[in-house]
Amino acid sequence: MTFLLLAAPLFLGFELWQLVMSERYVGIKQIARQGDPRKLGLAELTAFGWTSALFLYWAWMLALLGSPFTRIHGLVLLIVSVIGFSVRRGCGLSWLLVVLTLEGAVRIGLLVSLLGQAWRHL
């Protein structure tokens, strides 16, 4: 369980980074230009790094289900991620940034809650 809690700040930083990158690539300027960045390809190294981080994040969320202390956080993180992914796949470009921001805000809130609970538990 200690490793799971030690990884939480890393994934909190990853979530914040994803919010900044989503604003950069799917921001108001992109929406005004009608440019859909989902149709552009990422550089191979960037795609590998981002995909690897996402796989680690999902594995970590699944590992959270194994401990009663972190089970609810892991379950809600997984639910929010699945719902967010489903909504993002079906929404237009004008709603993409809204969905990304809401999804990220909920996950950041859950990670902060998990860290706060771990702090109180110590």
Side-chain angles (χ1 to χ4, degrees), residues 82-104:
V82 168
I83 290 172
F85 181 78
S86 300
V87 172
R88 277 185 276 128
R89 283 289 165 216
C91 72
L93 182 62
S94 60
W95 283 98
L96 184 62
L97 187 59
V98 174
V99 172
L100 282 169
T101 303
L102 288 174
E103 181 185 354

Side-chain angles (χ1 to χ4, degrees), residues 37-77:
R38 295 177 291 185
K39 294 181 180 163
L40 301 173
L42 289 175
E44 190 172 320
L45 185 60
T46 304
F48 174 76
W50 203 325
T51 304
S52 298
L54 286 174
F55 279 135
L56 285 173
Y57 195 21
W58 277 81
W60 180 76
M61 287 188 271
L62 288 170
L64 289 176
L65 298 176
S67 170
F69 178 71
T70 59
R71 185 170 292 141
I72 191 69
H73 289 91
L75 182 64
V76 177
L77 280 167

